[in-house]
């Protein structure tokens, strides 16, 4: 416990922003979703069959990546996709934490 407190103090003194697993996973999930969306749009914009085939293959990979990230977050209780009340409570806690960081 003392080691963690010491680490937090050192980070504050250095002005280091600590990013936790939730922030990293959330950012990765958002980025993966944008990748799926961008590939889907690209498929509709191309007329070349070989490019379309390549983009579809990449879209399948992007969908799989998004699913793996979402499942990781669900498993680790970072994302409550099937319980709106839990997700809302989780989001409110994150918002409170963000407001607390602004007060420091």
């Amino acid at each position: 416990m003392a080691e963690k407190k010491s680490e937090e103090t050192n980070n504050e003194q250095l002005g280091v922003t600590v990013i936790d697993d939730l922030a990293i996973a959330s950012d990765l999930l958002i980025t993966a979703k944008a990748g799926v969306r961008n590939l889907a749009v690209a498929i509709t914009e191309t007329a070349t069959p070989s490019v379309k085939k390549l983009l579809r293959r990449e879209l399948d990979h992007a969908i799989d990546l998004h699913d793996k990230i979402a499942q990781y977050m669900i498993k680790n209780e970072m994302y409550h996709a099937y319980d709106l009340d839990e997700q809302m409570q989780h989001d409110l806690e994150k918002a409170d934490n963000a407001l607390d960081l602004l007060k420091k």
Side-chain angles (χ1 to χ4, degrees):
M1 181 68 172
E3 183 178 310
K4 184 176 182 182
K5 185 68 172 173
S6 173
E7 184 179 309
E8 289 174 2
T9 303
N10 288 340
N11 287 337
E12 288 174 11
Q13 290 171 347
L14 296 172
V16 174
T17 302
V18 178
I19 300 175
D20 63 2
D21 290 345
L22 174 61
I24 294 168
S26 296
D27 188 54
L28 189 55
L29 185 68
I30 291 166
T31 302
K33 184 177 283 193
V36 168
R37 187 178 303 115
N38 292 339
L39 284 163
V41 169
I43 289 169
T44 65
E45 298 294 325
T46 189
T48 309
S50 61
V51 173
K52 202 173 277 201
K53 183 177 180 180
L54 173 78
L55 290 173
R56 282 187 179 137
R57 188 170 57 241
E58 290 303 313
L59 177 60
D60 286 339
H61 291 300
I63 291 169
D64 288 342
L65 175 62
H66 181 273
D67 183 58
K68 286 176 184 174
I69 298 164
Q71 293 305 318
Y72 169 84
M73 292 179 72
I74 291 167
K75 178 182 173 190
N76 289 284
E77 298 183 2
M78 298 176 182
Y79 181 46
H80 306 277
Y82 305 108
D83 189 330
L84 182 59
D85 290 332
E86 276 187 40
Q87 185 61 46
M88 191 169 18
Q89 183 61 37
H90 185 71
D91 290 345
L92 289 171
E93 289 171 10
K94 289 190 301 185
D96 287 341
N97 289 341
L99 291 172
D100 287 343
L101 287 174
L102 291 173
K103 293 177 185 176
K104 291 182 180 181

